[in-house]
Amino acid sequence: MPNAPHPQPSPSDFTLEEYKALRTLQRAVDDLLEESLRERETLTQSFRRCFPPILKLTGARAVAITTRDEELVEQTWSEGDWGDRFPGSLLEGPSGVRRMEGDTLVTQALDVAGTRVGTFGMLFPGDLTEMEASARALRVLDTVAEQLDTVLCLVHTASEKHQLIIQCNAHLANPVFEAGMDQAVLTLAQRVRLPGFLLLYRDAVQPQMLHYRTYRNGYLEFESGEQPSPVLEKAIRQHGPRLLASEESALRQLFGGRTTEAVLISGAASSEPLGKIVIWSDAGFSAYSMDLIRVLASTLSQRLLDYNRERIHLSQFFPNAVIDALLQDPNYAQHLRAQDQEVGILFADINGFTRICEQGFDSPRNIGRFVDEWSERAVGCIWEHGGVFDKMVGDCVIGLFGPPFFKSSRLERAQAAVRAACDIQAFTASLGAREEVAALCQRVKLPGLGVAVGVNLANANCGLFGPNRQYTAFSSGMNQAARLQSLAGFRETLVMASVRDVLGTSREPFFQGLRFGPLTETPVKNVAQPLRHYQLESLKP
């Protein structure tokens, strides 16, 4: 067993011979390490290059170092004759000079930027525990260690940065964007000082709308929506998307401290920025910190692109509140996969649309504008009552009630579909009362603007389908609703018997006040059973 380490010897004067020897050793190790850096060698290769010349120049029997490798995993590298002893265990003891049988072990702690990262040791033959001999041995050790520190600093800084980037990337891969962002900022703040951090970014569906998250020392402080910042809310009202412009200084003026650094997050396919990162601190930020912030911004840029792409895709079918709820669920894809459920189904088609197109408009562009306005409001009615916009076929709007969470009852789904149908009828009639639309209807000899609506309650297979992953549904019930809508007349809503039956159980005054015509059975082509339906006439007086 080695003896206890001797106390650190007091400094003594260098002899000229020792000074020259140490200078030679320093230059030799420096040259070896510089060559290793030029060759982009690993730590293992670097130590293999350096250790044999070090042993030769110092007369040491063996040399070893315990430190972290490029993957930040601790291991020991050694060279020379350590006998049957494992050098890693020997380096674990206190630093200093100690006897080891017929040899002397000299060890020293290694640090990178003030943080201990390992231990360096050399085994010299003979007894060097006498004060002057110990001092000389420690100076040899320190000369080599100083050069190794430079390499270890580069390797460990790069490795820590790499590991930190991997961790942040893993966090940002979280399906819940906000949760991943919170984890990434906290991870970064645990490594570098982040007194103040802001992410400001555009809404994917409404680019003029801005969202933000601010952090203090890595922890969420404010967010647009549930924890708003009065200061940021005011700035957004005053400046809007101009806050994202590179030359805009309004953000810098909002936060305390002498230094505010901003990093733009640019969109890959657009000159418009996706968002901006702003950081602030009384003490400023090191080059190392800023480098990490820039790397985070680059990764975050791609994550925002992906996040926005997903929001834009989902916005084809769902209102913002539903999209938010979906994307707050790490397993939200389960709500979008195909599943068999009973759903409310609505088909709404403009009465006399073919005649309106052929006789009422002078150009396809005007037809498109008219359909855009009507369909936007029709989809709004579907969304307002918790429905999903399935698709538009020509001028026919299709809505589903129940997806994507299927938490409502069958009564609630039928009620939502009928309420949406009533609203579509009402707004379409009001649109027909506008002077220019009334003139159009008169020109094509229609009594006004109206819609034919069919409502059903039936099982369907709902989910994302096809190469474009469109949210839709398939079933005979969908076909029945389409046929029912085609049977409906001017400003007429027809509901299947399944809808009328379930509405009979409603206790809501609105539905208790609805009036229906008699049960009608209508045979339709390619459908085995006649459609059993009712006409929704009006509210009871």
Side-chain angles (χ1 to χ4, degrees):
M1 293 291 293
N3 297 326
H6 285 247
Q8 184 83 6
S10 302
S12 60
D13 293 335
F14 282 59
T15 65
L16 180 59
E17 182 180 355
E18 183 186 357
Y19 176 78
K20 290 180 178 180
L22 291 176
R23 286 287 293 165
T24 299
L25 177 62
Q26 182 186 45
R27 285 195 298 268
V29 176
D30 183 61
D31 290 344
L32 290 166
L33 291 174
E34 186 175 337
E35 186 175 352
S36 182
L37 288 173
R38 282 199 306 270
E39 296 295 325
R40 302 289 194 272
E41 292 182 340
T42 64
L43 278 179
T44 298
Q45 292 170 325
S46 296
F47 294 144
R48 285 176 180 169
R49 178 189 293 271
C50 296
F51 281 174
I54 288 173
L55 293 178
K56 184 176 181 180
L57 288 167
T58 61
R61 183 186 299 279
V63 61
I65 185 171
T66 296
T67 188
R68 292 177 292 173
D69 63 14
E70 290 85 352
E71 300 298 323
L72 300 183
V73 176
E74 186 174 279
Q75 63 174 290
T76 299
W77 292 265
S78 64
E79 185 76 24
D81 182 13
W82 288 93
D84 58 357
R85 298 161 296 198
F86 174 57
S89 301
L90 301 177
L91 298 183
E92 290 176 358
S95 298
V97 180
R98 74 184 80 171
R99 287 280 287 142
M100 184 173 292
E101 298 176 356
D103 301 319
T104 302
L105 176 64
V106 186
T107 60
Q108 175 179 318
L110 296 171
D111 71 81
V112 171
T115 302
R116 179 164 177 160
V117 296
T119 307
F120 178 58
M122 299 177 71
L123 186 67
F124 293 93
D127 182 1
L128 302 181
T129 57
E130 184 270 329
M131 189 68 70
E132 287 299 325
S134 293
R136 286 193 297 271
L138 286 169
R139 285 195 287 268
V140 167
L141 196 72
D142 188 59
T143 298
V144 178
E146 275 189 11
Q147 303 305 309
L148 293 177
D149 281 346
T150 302
V151 174
L152 292 178
C153 182
L154 293 173
V155 171
H156 284 258
T157 299
S159 296
E160 286 187 348
K161 185 185 299 182
H162 178 66
Q163 293 292 327
L164 194 58
I165 291 168
I166 290 175
Q167 291 175 27
C168 288
N169 287 352
H171 292 321
L172 290 174
N174 190 322
V176 181
F177 171 75
E178 293 84 355
M181 185 68 203
D182 295 349
Q183 293 169 335
V185 173
L186 180 59
T187 297
L188 196 61
Q190 289 170 343
R191 186 64 187 88
V192 299
R193 292 184 67 256
L194 280 181
F197 186 103
L198 162 69
L199 169 65
L200 182 69
Y201 58 100
R202 294 178 184 272
D203 184 88
V205 182
Q206 300 171 283
Q208 296 304 306
M209 180 185 295
L210 298 181
H211 303 283
Y212 60 83
R213 299 180 80 77
T214 70
Y215 304 83
R216 185 172 297 277
N217 297 316
Y219 292 93
L220 183 68
E221 185 174 28
F222 297 111
E223 61 171 318
S224 48
E226 296 184 359
Q227 297 173 242
S229 161
V231 173
L232 274 171
E233 293 290 334
K234 181 179 178 181
I236 290 172
R237 286 194 300 270
Q238 289 179 340
H239 304 278
R242 294 197 311 274
L243 289 172
L244 299 180
S246 58
E247 68 277 3
E248 180 62 55
S249 61
L251 280 176
R252 294 172 179 261
Q253 300 168 7
L254 299 181
F255 309 109
R258 298 194 307 268
T259 304
T260 301
E261 297 288 345
V263 181
L264 282 176
I265 309 168
S266 301
S270 171
S271 59
E272 292 291 329
L274 290 171
K276 178 181 283 189
I277 286 177
V278 180
I279 55 177
W280 60 95
S281 167
D282 288 337
F285 296 93
S286 67
Y288 177 77
S289 298
M290 287 308 304
D291 192 29
L292 287 174
I293 294 296
R294 282 188 285 269
V295 172
L296 176 64
S298 176
T299 304
L300 184 56
S301 175
Q302 184 57 53
R303 181 65 182 92
L304 265 177
L305 284 171
D306 294 339
Y307 177 71
N308 287 351
R309 193 177 295 117
E310 187 69 0
R311 287 196 72 95
I312 291 170
H313 176 240
L314 295 175
S315 71
Q316 298 175 79
F317 326 111
F318 308 109
N320 276 334
V322 173
I323 297 173
D324 290 341
L326 280 169
L327 295 182
Q328 287 296 320
D329 185 345
N331 300 313
Y332 80 91
Q334 68 181 344
H335 301 297
L336 304 178
R337 68 169 183 261
Q339 49 188 308
D340 290 328
Q341 294 279 355
E342 187 176 41
V343 294
I345 305 166
L346 178 150
F347 278 67
D349 187 273
I350 299 174
N351 293 124
F353 184 69
T354 300
R355 193 193 312 176
I356 291 173
C357 290
E358 291 182 353
Q359 303 175 22
F361 291 103
D362 56 4
S363 71
R365 176 179 297 179
N366 288 334
I367 297 174
R369 288 174 178 170
F370 174 76
V371 172
D372 269 352
E373 180 180 0
W374 178 82
S375 62
E376 181 179 355
R377 294 181 63 179
V379 171
C381 291
I382 292 170
W383 283 348
E384 184 179 343
H385 294 290
V388 172
F389 172 50
D390 180 315
K391 68 173 72 68
M392 190 168 184
V393 180
D395 64 309
C396 181
V397 167
I398 304 171
L400 304 172
F401 297 84
F405 301 112
F406 298 103
K407 293 181 179 179
S408 56
S409 66
R410 66 192 307 260
L411 172 60
E412 289 170 330
R413 296 172 195 181
Q415 289 180 158
V418 171
R419 280 192 182 277
C422 292
D423 286 355
I424 291 173
Q425 288 283 12
F427 97 74
T428 304
S430 67
L431 184 61
R434 281 191 350 207
E435 183 178 349
E436 68 276 17
V437 180
L440 181 151
C441 292
Q442 187 175 10
R443 195 159 58 245
V444 299
K445 298 181 172 55
L446 283 174
L449 192 65
V451 287
V453 181
V455 179
N456 196 7
L457 182 67
N459 277 59
N461 190 238
C462 310
L464 294 176
F465 292 95
N468 295 328
R469 309 304 293 160
Q470 301 296 299
Y471 197 95
T472 187
F474 298 96
S475 74
S476 60
M478 292 288 287
N479 295 331
Q480 291 169 355
R483 299 298 183 88
L484 193 63
Q485 176 271 312
S486 67
L487 293 174
F490 180 74
R491 292 182 180 172
E492 191 172 67
T493 297
L494 300 181
V495 302
M496 291 290 288
S498 58
V499 176
R500 174 69 180 86
D501 291 345
V502 75
L503 288 181
T505 67
S506 176
R507 296 183 178 181
E508 291 191 27
F510 176 84
F511 294 101
Q512 291 178 343
L514 291 179
R515 295 179 59 186
F516 296 90
L519 175 65
T520 303
E521 293 192 2
T522 305
V524 293
K525 189 176 180 180
N526 296 326
V527 176
Q529 299 296 325
L531 298 184
R532 303 179 72 250
H533 58 89
Y534 296 84
Q535 179 186 349
L536 174 58
E537 294 182 343
S538 65
L539 286 168
K540 294 176 184 177

PDB file of all heavy atoms in Angstrom, residues 163-190:
ATOM      1  N   GLN A 163     -22.866  17.704 -25.759  1.00  0.00           N
ATOM      2  CA  GLN A 163     -23.816  16.999 -24.915  1.00  0.00           C
ATOM      3  C   GLN A 163     -25.013  17.881 -24.581  1.00  0.00           C
ATOM      4  O   GLN A 163     -26.156  17.422 -24.573  1.00  0.00           O
ATOM      5  CB  GLN A 163     -23.136  16.538 -23.615  1.00  0.00           C
ATOM      6  CG  GLN A 163     -22.071  15.480 -23.806  1.00  0.00           C
ATOM      7  CD  GLN A 163     -22.646  14.160 -24.264  1.00  0.00           C
ATOM      8  OE1 GLN A 163     -23.753  13.801 -23.893  1.00  0.00           O
ATOM      9  NE2 GLN A 163     -21.901  13.440 -25.088  1.00  0.00           N
ATOM     10  N   LEU A 164     -24.742  19.159 -24.339  1.00  0.00           N
ATOM     11  CA  LEU A 164     -25.819  20.082 -24.016  1.00  0.00           C
ATOM     12  C   LEU A 164     -26.753  20.269 -25.212  1.00  0.00           C
ATOM     13  O   LEU A 164     -27.976  20.313 -25.071  1.00  0.00           O
ATOM     14  CB  LEU A 164     -25.226  21.430 -23.598  1.00  0.00           C
ATOM     15  CG  LEU A 164     -26.163  22.416 -22.910  1.00  0.00           C
ATOM     16  CD1 LEU A 164     -26.760  21.804 -21.655  1.00  0.00           C
ATOM     17  CD2 LEU A 164     -25.401  23.689 -22.554  1.00  0.00           C
ATOM     18  N   ILE A 165     -26.156  20.354 -26.381  1.00  0.00           N
ATOM     19  CA  ILE A 165     -26.964  20.497 -27.598  1.00  0.00           C
ATOM     20  C   ILE A 165     -27.833  19.256 -27.804  1.00  0.00           C
ATOM     21  O   ILE A 165     -29.009  19.351 -28.156  1.00  0.00           O
ATOM     22  CB  ILE A 165     -26.052  20.737 -28.815  1.00  0.00           C
ATOM     23  CG1 ILE A 165     -25.415  22.128 -28.714  1.00  0.00           C
ATOM     24  CG2 ILE A 165     -26.819  20.601 -30.121  1.00  0.00           C
ATOM     25  CD1 ILE A 165     -24.290  22.355 -29.695  1.00  0.00           C
ATOM     26  N   ILE A 166     -27.250  18.078 -27.573  1.00  0.00           N
ATOM     27  CA  ILE A 166     -28.014  16.829 -27.716  1.00  0.00           C
ATOM     28  C   ILE A 166     -29.194  16.823 -26.743  1.00  0.00           C
ATOM     29  O   ILE A 166     -30.318  16.456 -27.105  1.00  0.00           O
ATOM     30  CB  ILE A 166     -27.102  15.613 -27.480  1.00  0.00           C
ATOM     31  CG1 ILE A 166     -26.110  15.459 -28.649  1.00  0.00           C
ATOM     32  CG2 ILE A 166     -27.926  14.349 -27.303  1.00  0.00           C
ATOM     33  CD1 ILE A 166     -25.099  14.358 -28.444  1.00  0.00           C
ATOM     34  N   GLN A 167     -28.938  17.256 -25.510  1.00  0.00           N
ATOM     35  CA  GLN A 167     -30.008  17.285 -24.514  1.00  0.00           C
ATOM     36  C   GLN A 167     -31.105  18.266 -24.917  1.00  0.00           C
ATOM     37  O   GLN A 167     -32.298  17.948 -24.821  1.00  0.00           O
ATOM     38  CB  GLN A 167     -29.440  17.684 -23.148  1.00  0.00           C
ATOM     39  CG  GLN A 167     -28.533  16.647 -22.524  1.00  0.00           C
ATOM     40  CD  GLN A 167     -27.911  17.137 -21.233  1.00  0.00           C
ATOM     41  OE1 GLN A 167     -28.459  17.986 -20.542  1.00  0.00           O
ATOM     42  NE2 GLN A 167     -26.743  16.618 -20.902  1.00  0.00           N
ATOM     43  N   CYS A 168     -30.707  19.462 -25.367  1.00  0.00           N
ATOM     44  CA  CYS A 168     -31.696  20.457 -25.781  1.00  0.00           C
ATOM     45  C   CYS A 168     -32.495  19.966 -26.989  1.00  0.00           C
ATOM     46  O   CYS A 168     -33.717  20.152 -27.062  1.00  0.00           O
ATOM     47  CB  CYS A 168     -31.020  21.786 -26.103  1.00  0.00           C
ATOM     48  SG  CYS A 168     -30.412  22.665 -24.640  1.00  0.00           S
ATOM     49  N   ASN A 169     -31.798  19.336 -27.926  1.00  0.00           N
ATOM     50  CA  ASN A 169     -32.497  18.796 -29.094  1.00  0.00           C
ATOM     51  C   ASN A 169     -33.506  17.728 -28.689  1.00  0.00           C
ATOM     52  O   ASN A 169     -34.611  17.662 -29.233  1.00  0.00           O
ATOM     53  CB  ASN A 169     -31.495  18.211 -30.089  1.00  0.00           C
ATOM     54  CG  ASN A 169     -30.706  19.277 -30.814  1.00  0.00           C
ATOM     55  OD1 ASN A 169     -30.990  20.462 -30.696  1.00  0.00           O
ATOM     56  ND2 ASN A 169     -29.707  18.872 -31.556  1.00  0.00           N
ATOM     57  N   ALA A 170     -33.103  16.895 -27.731  1.00  0.00           N
ATOM     58  CA  ALA A 170     -34.013  15.852 -27.255  1.00  0.00           C
ATOM     59  C   ALA A 170     -35.238  16.475 -26.593  1.00  0.00           C
ATOM     60  O   ALA A 170     -36.370  16.003 -26.781  1.00  0.00           O
ATOM     61  CB  ALA A 170     -33.292  14.923 -26.279  1.00  0.00           C
ATOM     62  N   HIS A 171     -35.016  17.533 -25.817  1.00  0.00           N
ATOM     63  CA  HIS A 171     -36.147  18.213 -25.187  1.00  0.00           C
ATOM     64  C   HIS A 171     -37.067  18.826 -26.239  1.00  0.00           C
ATOM     65  O   HIS A 171     -38.293  18.720 -26.154  1.00  0.00           O
ATOM     66  CB  HIS A 171     -35.654  19.303 -24.241  1.00  0.00           C
ATOM     67  CG  HIS A 171     -34.944  18.784 -23.030  1.00  0.00           C
ATOM     68  ND1 HIS A 171     -35.359  17.653 -22.353  1.00  0.00           N
ATOM     69  CD2 HIS A 171     -33.847  19.237 -22.362  1.00  0.00           C
ATOM     70  CE1 HIS A 171     -34.552  17.432 -21.331  1.00  0.00           C
ATOM     71  NE2 HIS A 171     -33.632  18.375 -21.316  1.00  0.00           N
ATOM     72  N   LEU A 172     -36.470  19.477 -27.237  1.00  0.00           N
ATOM     73  CA  LEU A 172     -37.275  20.148 -28.251  1.00  0.00           C
ATOM     74  C   LEU A 172     -38.026  19.156 -29.140  1.00  0.00           C
ATOM     75  O   LEU A 172     -38.963  19.543 -29.840  1.00  0.00           O
ATOM     76  CB  LEU A 172     -36.399  21.063 -29.109  1.00  0.00           C
ATOM     77  CG  LEU A 172     -35.866  22.316 -28.397  1.00  0.00           C
ATOM     78  CD1 LEU A 172     -34.888  23.065 -29.285  1.00  0.00           C
ATOM     79  CD2 LEU A 172     -37.018  23.222 -27.995  1.00  0.00           C
ATOM     80  N   ALA A 173     -37.599  17.901 -29.123  1.00  0.00           N
ATOM     81  CA  ALA A 173     -38.322  16.878 -29.885  1.00  0.00           C
ATOM     82  C   ALA A 173     -39.612  16.455 -29.196  1.00  0.00           C
ATOM     83  O   ALA A 173     -40.390  15.695 -29.761  1.00  0.00           O
ATOM     84  CB  ALA A 173     -37.426  15.649 -30.091  1.00  0.00           C
ATOM     85  N   ASN A 174     -39.829  16.971 -27.984  1.00  0.00           N
ATOM     86  CA  ASN A 174     -41.065  16.674 -27.263  1.00  0.00           C
ATOM     87  C   ASN A 174     -42.263  17.056 -28.136  1.00  0.00           C
ATOM     88  O   ASN A 174     -42.316  18.167 -28.665  1.00  0.00           O
ATOM     89  CB  ASN A 174     -41.098  17.484 -25.958  1.00  0.00           C
ATOM     90  CG  ASN A 174     -42.229  17.071 -25.033  1.00  0.00           C
ATOM     91  OD1 ASN A 174     -43.335  16.770 -25.473  1.00  0.00           O
ATOM     92  ND2 ASN A 174     -41.948  17.059 -23.744  1.00  0.00           N
ATOM     93  N   PRO A 175     -43.236  16.158 -28.324  1.00  0.00           N
ATOM     94  CA  PRO A 175     -44.396  16.505 -29.152  1.00  0.00           C
ATOM     95  C   PRO A 175     -45.130  17.742 -28.666  1.00  0.00           C
ATOM     96  O   PRO A 175     -45.748  18.449 -29.453  1.00  0.00           O
ATOM     97  CB  PRO A 175     -45.295  15.259 -29.050  1.00  0.00           C
ATOM     98  CG  PRO A 175     -44.366  14.151 -28.691  1.00  0.00           C
ATOM     99  CD  PRO A 175     -43.305  14.768 -27.837  1.00  0.00           C
ATOM    100  N   VAL A 176     -45.065  18.008 -27.350  1.00  0.00           N
ATOM    101  CA  VAL A 176     -45.657  19.231 -26.811  1.00  0.00           C
ATOM    102  C   VAL A 176     -44.592  20.318 -26.872  1.00  0.00           C
ATOM    103  O   VAL A 176     -43.661  20.333 -26.066  1.00  0.00           O
ATOM    104  CB  VAL A 176     -46.156  19.027 -25.371  1.00  0.00           C
ATOM    105  CG1 VAL A 176     -46.790  20.310 -24.840  1.00  0.00           C
ATOM    106  CG2 VAL A 176     -47.158  17.881 -25.311  1.00  0.00           C
ATOM    107  N   PHE A 177     -44.718  21.209 -27.840  1.00  0.00           N
ATOM    108  CA  PHE A 177     -43.688  22.209 -28.099  1.00  0.00           C
ATOM    109  C   PHE A 177     -43.349  23.021 -26.852  1.00  0.00           C
ATOM    110  O   PHE A 177     -42.167  23.218 -26.526  1.00  0.00           O
ATOM    111  CB  PHE A 177     -44.137  23.145 -29.224  1.00  0.00           C
ATOM    112  CG  PHE A 177     -43.240  24.332 -29.420  1.00  0.00           C
ATOM    113  CD1 PHE A 177     -42.003  24.186 -30.027  1.00  0.00           C
ATOM    114  CD2 PHE A 177     -43.626  25.598 -28.993  1.00  0.00           C
ATOM    115  CE1 PHE A 177     -41.170  25.269 -30.201  1.00  0.00           C
ATOM    116  CE2 PHE A 177     -42.806  26.684 -29.158  1.00  0.00           C
ATOM    117  CZ  PHE A 177     -41.567  26.529 -29.769  1.00  0.00           C
ATOM    118  N   GLU A 178     -44.352  23.514 -26.146  1.00  0.00           N
ATOM    119  CA  GLU A 178     -44.103  24.379 -24.993  1.00  0.00           C
ATOM    120  C   GLU A 178     -43.352  23.636 -23.889  1.00  0.00           C
ATOM    121  O   GLU A 178     -42.424  24.185 -23.279  1.00  0.00           O
ATOM    122  CB  GLU A 178     -45.425  24.937 -24.449  1.00  0.00           C
ATOM    123  CG  GLU A 178     -46.138  25.890 -25.383  1.00  0.00           C
ATOM    124  CD  GLU A 178     -46.999  25.175 -26.416  1.00  0.00           C
ATOM    125  OE1 GLU A 178     -46.959  23.915 -26.461  1.00  0.00           O
ATOM    126  OE2 GLU A 178     -47.708  25.866 -27.163  1.00  0.00           O
ATOM    127  N   ALA A 179     -43.736  22.380 -23.636  1.00  0.00           N
ATOM    128  CA  ALA A 179     -43.055  21.595 -22.603  1.00  0.00           C
ATOM    129  C   ALA A 179     -41.605  21.352 -22.987  1.00  0.00           C
ATOM    130  O   ALA A 179     -40.694  21.454 -22.149  1.00  0.00           O
ATOM    131  CB  ALA A 179     -43.772  20.263 -22.387  1.00  0.00           C
ATOM    132  N   GLY A 180     -41.353  21.037 -24.252  1.00  0.00           N
ATOM    133  CA  GLY A 180     -39.982  20.835 -24.712  1.00  0.00           C
ATOM    134  C   GLY A 180     -39.160  22.097 -24.614  1.00  0.00           C
ATOM    135  O   GLY A 180     -37.975  22.055 -24.239  1.00  0.00           O
ATOM    136  N   MET A 181     -39.767  23.237 -24.946  1.00  0.00           N
ATOM    137  CA  MET A 181     -39.068  24.513 -24.839  1.00  0.00           C
ATOM    138  C   MET A 181     -38.685  24.798 -23.391  1.00  0.00           C
ATOM    139  O   MET A 181     -37.557  25.213 -23.105  1.00  0.00           O
ATOM    140  CB  MET A 181     -39.978  25.625 -25.380  1.00  0.00           C
ATOM    141  CG  MET A 181     -39.326  26.990 -25.427  1.00  0.00           C
ATOM    142  SD  MET A 181     -38.013  27.056 -26.667  1.00  0.00           S
ATOM    143  CE  MET A 181     -37.051  28.429 -26.002  1.00  0.00           C
ATOM    144  N   ASP A 182     -39.601  24.573 -22.466  1.00  0.00           N
ATOM    145  CA  ASP A 182     -39.316  24.803 -21.047  1.00  0.00           C
ATOM    146  C   ASP A 182     -38.153  23.942 -20.578  1.00  0.00           C
ATOM    147  O   ASP A 182     -37.261  24.408 -19.848  1.00  0.00           O
ATOM    148  CB  ASP A 182     -40.553  24.496 -20.203  1.00  0.00           C
ATOM    149  CG  ASP A 182     -41.708  25.453 -20.484  1.00  0.00           C
ATOM    150  OD1 ASP A 182     -41.484  26.469 -21.169  1.00  0.00           O
ATOM    151  OD2 ASP A 182     -42.827  25.176 -20.017  1.00  0.00           O
ATOM    152  N   GLN A 183     -38.135  22.682 -20.996  1.00  0.00           N
ATOM    153  CA  GLN A 183     -37.059  21.773 -20.575  1.00  0.00           C
ATOM    154  C   GLN A 183     -35.718  22.188 -21.180  1.00  0.00           C
ATOM    155  O   GLN A 183     -34.674  22.130 -20.511  1.00  0.00           O
ATOM    156  CB  GLN A 183     -37.412  20.342 -21.001  1.00  0.00           C
ATOM    157  CG  GLN A 183     -38.616  19.765 -20.271  1.00  0.00           C
ATOM    158  CD  GLN A 183     -39.103  18.467 -20.897  1.00  0.00           C
ATOM    159  OE1 GLN A 183     -38.902  18.201 -22.084  1.00  0.00           O
ATOM    160  NE2 GLN A 183     -39.766  17.643 -20.101  1.00  0.00           N
ATOM    161  N   ALA A 184     -35.738  22.620 -22.440  1.00  0.00           N
ATOM    162  CA  ALA A 184     -34.500  23.017 -23.106  1.00  0.00           C
ATOM    163  C   ALA A 184     -33.894  24.254 -22.440  1.00  0.00           C
ATOM    164  O   ALA A 184     -32.684  24.317 -22.212  1.00  0.00           O
ATOM    165  CB  ALA A 184     -34.761  23.282 -24.589  1.00  0.00           C
ATOM    166  N   VAL A 185     -34.720  25.238 -22.128  1.00  0.00           N
ATOM    167  CA  VAL A 185     -34.211  26.461 -21.492  1.00  0.00           C
ATOM    168  C   VAL A 185     -33.670  26.153 -20.101  1.00  0.00           C
ATOM    169  O   VAL A 185     -32.612  26.664 -19.704  1.00  0.00           O
ATOM    170  CB  VAL A 185     -35.310  27.536 -21.428  1.00  0.00           C
ATOM    171  CG1 VAL A 185     -34.844  28.741 -20.618  1.00  0.00           C
ATOM    172  CG2 VAL A 185     -35.695  27.985 -22.833  1.00  0.00           C
ATOM    173  N   LEU A 186     -34.361  25.314 -19.345  1.00  0.00           N
ATOM    174  CA  LEU A 186     -33.882  24.965 -18.011  1.00  0.00           C
ATOM    175  C   LEU A 186     -32.549  24.230 -18.099  1.00  0.00           C
ATOM    176  O   LEU A 186     -31.624  24.502 -17.314  1.00  0.00           O
ATOM    177  CB  LEU A 186     -34.919  24.098 -17.294  1.00  0.00           C
ATOM    178  CG  LEU A 186     -34.542  23.651 -15.881  1.00  0.00           C
ATOM    179  CD1 LEU A 186     -34.281  24.849 -14.981  1.00  0.00           C
ATOM    180  CD2 LEU A 186     -35.641  22.771 -15.287  1.00  0.00           C
ATOM    181  N   THR A 187     -32.417  23.310 -19.031  1.00  0.00           N
ATOM    182  CA  THR A 187     -31.156  22.583 -19.218  1.00  0.00           C
ATOM    183  C   THR A 187     -30.025  23.549 -19.549  1.00  0.00           C
ATOM    184  O   THR A 187     -28.916  23.439 -19.018  1.00  0.00           O
ATOM    185  CB  THR A 187     -31.307  21.544 -20.342  1.00  0.00           C
ATOM    186  OG1 THR A 187     -32.291  20.585 -19.957  1.00  0.00           O
ATOM    187  CG2 THR A 187     -29.989  20.833 -20.613  1.00  0.00           C
ATOM    188  N   LEU A 188     -30.298  24.508 -20.420  1.00  0.00           N
ATOM    189  CA  LEU A 188     -29.297  25.502 -20.784  1.00  0.00           C
ATOM    190  C   LEU A 188     -28.932  26.364 -19.581  1.00  0.00           C
ATOM    191  O   LEU A 188     -27.754  26.654 -19.337  1.00  0.00           O
ATOM    192  CB  LEU A 188     -29.842  26.374 -21.916  1.00  0.00           C
ATOM    193  CG  LEU A 188     -28.847  27.225 -22.691  1.00  0.00           C
ATOM    194  CD1 LEU A 188     -27.808  26.364 -23.381  1.00  0.00           C
ATOM    195  CD2 LEU A 188     -29.586  28.077 -23.718  1.00  0.00           C
ATOM    196  N   ALA A 189     -29.935  26.772 -18.798  1.00  0.00           N
ATOM    197  CA  ALA A 189     -29.695  27.637 -17.643  1.00  0.00           C
ATOM    198  C   ALA A 189     -28.902  26.933 -16.545  1.00  0.00           C
ATOM    199  O   ALA A 189     -28.245  27.583 -15.736  1.00  0.00           O
ATOM    200  CB  ALA A 189     -31.022  28.133 -17.080  1.00  0.00           C
ATOM    201  N   GLN A 190     -28.955  25.617 -16.516  1.00  0.00           N
ATOM    202  CA  GLN A 190     -28.180  24.875 -15.519  1.00  0.00           C
ATOM    203  C   GLN A 190     -26.699  24.822 -15.879  1.00  0.00           C
ATOM    204  O   GLN A 190     -25.864  24.473 -15.045  1.00  0.00           O
ATOM    205  CB  GLN A 190     -28.745  23.458 -15.395  1.00  0.00           C
ATOM    206  CG  GLN A 190     -30.109  23.423 -14.717  1.00  0.00           C
ATOM    207  CD  GLN A 190     -30.783  22.074 -14.805  1.00  0.00           C
ATOM    208  OE1 GLN A 190     -30.405  21.227 -15.630  1.00  0.00           O
ATOM    209  NE2 GLN A 190     -31.777  21.831 -13.955  1.00  0.00           N
TER     210      GLN A 190
END
